[in-house]
Amino acid sequence: MNDSQVSPPTGDETPAPNPQPKDPTYIDPTVELRNLLRFIYTNNPFYVISAGLTLWGLYQSFDTSVLIQSNALMACMAGYILLLAVSSVLLIRVGQVWDDVRTMLLLVVLLLLAVSLSFDKALSTNPDVGQYYFYGGLVFAVVISEAVLHGTRLSLPMLFRLPYHSILGVFFLYPVAIRHWIHNPKDPVLQWALFGFSSVAAVAFLTLLPAIRRGATFIRLNGSPWRWPWYPWTLFGVLAFGVAMRSYCLCVSFHPVKGMSTMFAPYFLVPFLLVLCLLILEIGLKAKHRAAIRFALVAPLVIIPLAIVGTQAGDFGFRQMLTNTLGGSPLFFTALGVAGFHGYALLRRATYAAEALTASLALLCVCGRQTEGVETLVVPQLVPLLLIAVLQGWLTVWHRSSLRCLAAAGCLLTAIALHTSLGSLAGYRAVAAGHGLLFVALLIGLGFHDRFARFLQYAGALTMVIFSQASNAVDTNVLGGLPEWLPAVYPALMGTLALGYGYVAGNKWFYAAAGLTLVGWFVTVVWQYYPAARRWVPGLDYILLGMAFFALALAVSLLKTGLPQRLLTRFTGES
């Protein structure tokens, strides 16, 4: 190209503006609105909103204590449930809209459970007539459930279907079973029946065990894109939530105290929650899912505080009646149940089950039959301590663990110290247990060769020095049943023991411990008896001072030979 073909720049041209960097804090409202609409479109929460508003409107519109209005409420609820069921079938048949249908099917189950508590007032007003509403509701729930499964072509094997219908049966038939006692809130039979609902529901949930042990492949081809565990365990999760709510609503309906206050307390749910933990444990073991196993082992320990919280006012003394009848408080039986659950997990060889069982047995140690909270904890009990000792002893043999051996020995020594009569030495239980634990730790340090055993040797050496120095400060006037000469010779005995142990174990730190012990003992003896010795030997001060200078001179001479340096190098190099 020639230079003549290049057009010269004109004065009208302006340089292109430089692009400005985008502000990272700027939020585009258009993008946010688009994301919100996409979320609503994907999750479609309008079915939930519709069900909530409709159900609330029906409860506000009808008085179930009146026969005609009870019939109208049942008809309206049945119609709305039919609307959801038919819509879900059509959405699957026409468009395979599984995300929306999942929400609709769970709403159908929740509404069926709501039907079971809609007629509590009718039952309390006229039990002879009200029971038929529950019978009809159960038939309706079974028919609708089967129709939805058939219409959507969802596969729910019989090992899941029978537990599902059993749980529905508990919801609908349990109020009918207790109808003869609902007119007397003070009746102990009614109170025990209200307490026992969650236990009966727990038995129904236990029927899921055969299906759980068939594994995930048992439900793999279910006719939907939902995969295990979301199908069918989401369904039973909804039912489990319904059990907790129904347990409370039963007390509201048949044992009201004031407003929404009832005799219900969180410990009512403890048996049911333990069964849920058992099911989760079995699922984790079958699927080899470590997170599920750990959750199942930890969750029972979280359940224990539920046994402490309870209604003290207005419960007609049921908590005290339970304690007197069963011979133990809710907290005691909860701790016992948690320990039993962890024992079952140990038999099933769940990972960390031994540690969980040790923790639950440790809690059971301080929970007596009358324990209601922290302020009523008891001295560690004999049987749980021995069980921990046996468990950790067996694990010591199995795993060759010095830590487990120390735990077993510690529990055994605590049991002996707390539950053995020592006569006049009963006031020295802690001292005896401490010395026993020290000697056991020293033996473990010799018998094992892991890192913790080495740590026990160092800790033992330090403890021997501490015990020796503490004995020097003991007042001989408060020794009780111990001989008066024991504090005087105790440091010498402990120092001799440290020397012998250091030689056997090959641990030079025990030589240092022995030296500190014997020096402390010598200083204490001199301090106590020196004034009397001066009266017998008038020049004792000068003699001792002369010996001190002789020791200093000898030390200087030894330093010149290099022997102390070689010994120090050898000591620090081998330790």
Side-chain angles (χ1 to χ4, degrees), residues 40-45 47 84 87-88 91-92 96-107 226:
I40 295 175
Y41 177 80
T42 303
N43 295 275
N44 196 359
Y47 288 116
L84 284 176
S87 299
S88 62
L91 287 174
I92 292 300
Q96 298 289 310
V97 189
W98 288 103
D99 289 338
D100 290 1
V101 169
R102 176 176 53 198
T103 302
M104 297 172 71
L105 294 182
L106 293 178
L107 284 174
W226 305 327

Side-chain angles (χ1 to χ4, degrees), residues 438 441-442 453-466 510:
L438 170 62
L442 294 176
R454 193 68 175 174
F455 166 78
L456 287 180
Q457 290 188 9
Y458 297 138
L462 179 61
T463 305
M464 294 174 79
V465 175
I466 294 174
F510 279 90

Side-chain angles (χ1 to χ4, degrees), residues 164-352:
Y164 169 73
H165 291 309
S166 300
I167 297 167
L168 287 180
V170 172
F171 274 87
F172 284 95
L173 299 181
Y174 197 84
V176 177
I178 66 174
R179 69 185 184 279
H180 298 295
W181 301 280
I182 60 178
H183 293 296
N184 184 11
K186 295 183 178 181
D187 192 338
V189 177
L190 175 63
Q191 296 182 33
W192 280 106
L194 295 177
F195 170 74
F197 172 77
S198 66
S199 299
V200 175
V203 174
F205 268 80
L206 280 176
T207 58
L208 286 166
L209 282 175
I212 291 174
R213 290 177 176 173
R214 295 290 295 271
T217 56
F218 181 56
I219 197 69
R220 183 168 56 87
L221 302 176
N222 55 60
S224 75
W226 305 327
R227 293 294 176 259
W228 187 92
W230 300 112
Y231 182 83
W233 292 112
T234 304
L235 167 64
F236 291 99
V238 171
L239 292 174
F241 171 78
V243 168
M245 293 304 300
R246 186 53 170 151
S247 181
Y248 171 73
C249 291
L250 276 176
C251 296
V252 172
S253 300
F254 302 130
H255 198 277
V257 178
K258 184 178 179 181
M260 299 299 287
S261 300
T262 69
M263 64 170 281
F264 177 83
Y267 66 85
F268 281 30
L269 301 177
V270 167
F272 177 69
L273 295 177
L274 286 177
V275 167
L276 290 186
C277 292
L278 187 146
L279 297 180
I280 296 173
L281 175 66
E282 290 292 340
I283 292 173
L285 291 174
K286 183 62 181 180
K288 297 181 180 179
H289 196 283
R290 294 183 178 179
I293 295 174
R294 292 172 182 172
F295 175 83
L297 293 175
V298 174
L301 298 174
V302 182
I303 293 173
I304 290 175
L306 297 180
I308 301 176
V309 181
T311 304
Q312 298 296 334
D315 66 347
F316 288 93
F318 177 73
R319 190 183 187 101
Q320 188 61 42
M321 182 173 65
L322 182 147
T323 301
N324 295 337
T325 303
L326 299 181
S329 65
L331 179 58
F332 171 75
F333 282 107
T334 300
L336 196 63
V338 171
F341 169 78
H342 286 145
Y344 172 80
L346 182 63
L347 293 177
R348 296 284 288 131
R349 298 183 179 181
T351 308
Y352 300 115

Side-chain angles (χ1 to χ4, degrees), residues 86-98 101 147-153:
V86 171
S87 299
S88 62
V89 172
L90 290 177
L91 287 174
I92 292 300
R93 292 295 185 91
V94 174
Q96 298 289 310
V97 189
W98 288 103
V101 169
V148 168
L149 289 174
H150 179 75
T152 56
R153 297 190 180 95

Side-chain angles (χ1 to χ4, degrees), residues 358 384-386 388-390 392 406-416 437:
T358 302
L385 283 173
L386 293 179
I388 296 176
V390 171
Q392 294 298 327
L406 181 65
C411 290
L412 186 59
L413 289 172
T414 303
I416 294 174
L437 190 60

